[in-house]
Amino acid sequence: MENIDTVIIAVAVMTLGAAFLGAALGWASERFRVEGNPIIDQIERALPQTQCGQCGFPGCRGYAEAIADGEAINLCAPGGEAGARKLADLLGREIPTAGVAEKPPQFAVIDENRCIGCTLCIQACPVDAIVGAAKQLHTVVGSICTGCALCAAPCPVECIEMKTIAETVDNWKWKSPVFQIRRVA
Amino acid sequence: MQSGLSRKLFRFKGGVEPDTHKAESAEAPIRKAPLPSRLILPLHQSVGARATPCVRVGETLRKGQRIGNADGWISAAVHAPTSGKVLAIEDRPAAHPSGLPTLSVVIEPDGLDTWIERAPLDLTARSPDEVCGALRDAGIVGLGGAVFPTHAKLSAAKSTAIDEVVINGAECEPFMTCDDFLMRERAEDVVRGASIFRDLLEPKRVLIGIEDNKPEAARAMRRAVEALGFDFEVVVVPTRYPTGAAKQLIRVLTGKEIPSTRRSPEMGVQCFNVGTAYSAWRFVAFGEPLISRIVTLTGNVESAGNWETLIGTPFEEFVALGRPKPDTERFLMGGPMMGFEIPDLSAPVVKACNCVIAASLSLFPPPPPEMPCIRCGACAEVCPHELQPFELYRFSRAQKFDKAVELSIDECIKCGCCAYVCPSRIPLVQYFRFAKSEIDARRKEKAKADATRARVEQRKAREERLKAEKAERLAAAVKTSGAGGGDGADAAKKALIAAAAERARLQREAHPPKNPETAVDAEAAEKTPDPAVKPGDAAR
């Protein structure tokens, strides 16, 4: 008889415990719900914000969402190898052996003699770096331009040129005293 | 003498005592360098924005004429050091470790040295803001080597009361004697310059710090202070590198320690080099902008000494004044501890250039090969900022910059004490220069990326708002056109088309065509098919 009681008490205690903990968990998941996936924000912050779409996704946010869903981390050309390494560190993934298509930082320049003021580039610019109005000369605000080249394709007179940011006295950096060894093949 | 003894001095930890080598260049008084054949004036000679050129090629200039306007508040003007003609405004090699070209104005002197009209600045009649603006337009910058615009230091301090103004005559780098000779020979002008800074900042005390290896300079400065009747304190400080660094001298004189995250005026101190005080006085008293400076030429030369040199003198012509010995293989700008090799001698003397050292293999033998770090801690003992260079070295070499920042690499002033004492001859400071410039570049990139992300979000929000507004307008148009008809969507379209046609008509009336004959035809042609088009459009 005693044995049966012990069994019943044990089952009851466990059931009650499970019910209580289940209710607590259920309440907590409602109370502390996080909107969206926080990892996406972290990934987005690690991307260079060029907004070029070269990865095949619409903007850096789009690529961040895709990475969170398991997309490869070596598709960002402006970020290059350093960017891929940063993402690998963040996500605990391996750096893909396929390598990263690196691209030096660029900026767009509008040839003012050829611009017809069609506003197509203004509409294409994802970061509002082009100023101008219909039938007025357009120009690129160099400090805001991310060099995504999205404005170059829509231009009907091909007056937009992508230029590589040259090394000047202002952006020059001291070199490492260690010689860098790079894998060639 | 009493004032120097009475003041309690503080100590900073670490530091080194290298051979001073100051005697070589301390034999002759300051000499005036002859007019060079060409003057090359880089427009970017101060911290902050580059000056914008305000002269044309071919223009005839007078001595002291402004050739570059300051661009914004943290910037300083550039002036013609002599009269002559502008030969070119083009990229020329800079006096910079990279040797990269920078926009410069090239002047061919006419040998006449005709001044612009000079007028002294009446300080009593001008507001402090006006005085600061005038100093900016006179191109006055810190001549200790950092070339920070002086007016920005004088105006930044309004919010907090300044306790001490420190005048830096410590000159701790070996080989250099330019500040020493300036104080020996022109002490009164330096003291008067310091009084300008005192009038603008209104500190409780003015302290002039001079290392104890320059007794003549200290004596001359004391005499000048007494003769002028100021209550400035001339304080003799122990010789120890890097006492001449602003943070270290402030520490020694006031006991205040300034972290990298704050600027000295927030802690009630402001520090100026003696050369800066001198040039500020030349401008205020005589209307002379900053067009020359005293440069020490020393090292492996026949005749070392100090030269009052026009800014813009090409190094090749300047170094010839000292007659470098045949085994000279390179030239350093700045001192042996913090200076750099001049990559191209066609670059000019700039405002930042306080010393040029001719280097030979016997004077500066090549360092023995780098050995592994044995973690002896010698570098940590001499670091004036109490860092652990051997740890910073590990992370800088491996490019783990986050870790280096955690270990306060931001506090490093790149003084080179660590590399000087390293028994393994590791070029520690070169690693820190590299790491610091990488960290700086990454911070800038990060700031730009953050700003871009904000712009993209704003753009998205705007696009959505416009979409919503358009939908609203459409709905409103449907309502006004009387949605009583059987087909709602069709009626809405018709209403929109009618509205568009009305707008077009109004526009035509407002802007009559410039060629009336053809326009009449077009209008007639347009008017007739108008009703026919409408239903067709609506059907589409």
Side-chain angles (χ1 to χ4, degrees), chain A residues 44-45 47-51 61 82 122-129 142-146 167-170 172-178 180, chain B residues 44 94 96-98 100-102 340 397 399 414 427 430-431 433-434 437-438 441 444 446 448-450 452-453 455-457 459-460 462-463:
Chain A
E44 197 194 356
R45 239 166 271 144
L47 292 171
Q49 301 298 322
T50 313
Q51 311 294 343
R61 180 86 194 168
I122 296 180
Q123 292 163 40
C125 179
V127 294
D128 291 337
S143 58
I144 301 174
C145 176
T146 62
E167 191 174 47
T168 65
V169 172
D170 297 317
W172 177 84
K173 292 186 281 191
W174 284 96
K175 306 292 176 283
S176 170
V178 185
Q180 296 289 314
Chain B
H44 198 177
H96 186 265
S98 68
L100 286 169
T102 181
F340 57 87
R397 192 186 162 109
Q399 308 196 8
K414 301 182 270 190
Q430 276 87 330
Y431 282 101
R433 275 174 180 172
F434 156 68
S437 72
E438 280 293 333
K444 277 186 197 150
K446 179 101 182 49
K448 188 178 172 181
D450 287 345
T452 307
R453 204 172 46 245
R455 295 182 74 79
V456 170
E457 272 160 26
R459 186 183 161 92
K460 264 188 199 149
R462 191 185 66 216
E463 275 168 356

Side-chain angles (χ1 to χ4, degrees), chain A residues 74-132:
Chain A
N74 60 340
L75 302 180
C76 179
E81 208 179 314
R85 195 173 301 133
K86 212 156 54 168
L87 288 170
D89 280 351
L90 176 69
L91 300 166
R93 289 199 211 164
E94 290 284 305
I95 298 174
T97 46
V100 183
E102 292 231 20
K103 201 185 83 173
Q106 290 185 313
F107 66 105
V109 177
I110 292 178
D111 181 353
E112 300 185 345
N113 292 322
R114 281 192 282 165
C115 175
I116 54 168
C118 68
T119 75
L120 288 178
C121 58
I122 296 180
Q123 292 163 40
C125 179
V127 294
D128 291 337
I130 306 179
V131 289

